[in-house]
Amino acid sequence: MLSLTIMAITFGVVFLAELPDKTALAGLMLGTRYRASYVFAGVAAAFAVHVALAIAAGSVLTLLPQRLVQAVVGVLFLAGAAMLLLKKQDEDDDGIKAPADQSFWKVSGAGFMLILVAEFGDLTQIMTANLAARYDNPLSVGLGAVLALWAVAGLGIVGGRTLLKYVPLRLITKVAAGLMLVLAGLSLYEAIAG
């Protein structure tokens, strides 16, 4: 049975936890380069998969070796930063590529894979699993979590489109790469020190 109270609690907790997370950064970067609706479709599908896994797994996700998860996330951030810094700027700083240059499947697939890999074992996925185990209402927890994650992704994507109007793409790319390097360092430090 659907509980609006459990949905609201889950939405609030997951939204606040995910807002400062790497997802907003990923959505922002993808949103500056590609058609927003294509990016959102892929990101939304990946979040739906993550929530389904969290609901199905319940609190089992908390048993994953945290050091291993942090090490993999750190390496992925390093790879992402390297890709951003080493990629040739084949587009103008004035805007994104025309939608005709980027197919729906290519863009949404890239967004899907980025979020699927980057968010595995993430705090919000573990929190969703814990909430599902606590409330024993997978439908309410699942809907609350997926709506919160979609809201954060949408904010990141729209923010990226708006930011591009005022800041050159090269600067955004360098800042994003720098942030990814910081996140990689933090993740690898947690993997080693943890």
Side-chain angles (χ1 to χ4, degrees):
M1 179 169 216
L2 190 64
S3 166
L4 293 178
T5 303
I6 293 173
M7 272 183 63
I9 290 169
T10 303
F11 181 93
V13 168
V14 172
F15 182 86
L16 291 175
E18 191 68 20
L19 197 56
D21 198 42
K22 59 193 166 286
T23 305
L25 174 64
L28 187 142
M29 278 308 297
L30 290 170
T32 61
R33 294 181 173 271
Y34 306 110
R35 191 171 182 176
S37 60
Y38 292 5
V39 172
F40 185 77
V43 169
F47 277 133
V49 169
H50 273 286
V51 169
L53 288 172
I55 296 297
S59 61
V60 175
L61 286 177
T62 60
L63 301 176
L64 286 174
Q66 190 62 19
R67 289 178 121 178
L68 176 63
V69 172
Q70 290 298 335
V72 170
V73 168
V75 169
L76 289 171
F77 273 128
L78 282 175
M83 287 174 51
L84 283 175
L85 291 173
L86 298 176
K87 182 180 180 195
K88 291 183 180 179
Q89 294 292 327
D90 58 352
E91 48 192 279
D92 296 333
D93 278 346
D94 297 334
I96 62 170
K97 290 182 181 180
D101 294 340
Q102 299 293 328
S103 74
F104 170 80
W105 294 110
K106 182 177 178 182
V107 174
S108 63
F112 179 84
M113 290 307 297
L114 176 68
I115 297 302
L116 192 68
V117 171
E119 290 293 309
F120 187 77
D122 190 60
L123 173 65
T124 53
Q125 190 178 34
I126 294 168
M127 286 172 42
T128 301
N130 287 337
L131 289 167
R134 177 178 180 176
Y135 289 116
D136 197 24
N137 190 332
L139 180 61
S140 299
V141 171
L143 284 173
V146 81
L147 291 173
L149 293 168
W150 288 354
V152 171
L155 287 173
I157 292 166
V158 170
R161 307 281 297 175
T162 303
L163 186 63
L164 191 59
K165 293 178 183 175
Y166 304 103
V167 181
L169 181 59
R170 286 187 183 143
L171 178 60
I172 294 171
T173 301
K174 287 179 182 178
V175 169
L179 288 173
M180 285 188 172
L181 287 172
V182 169
L183 291 170
L186 291 171
S187 295
L188 291 172
Y189 173 77
E190 289 175 8
I192 294 167

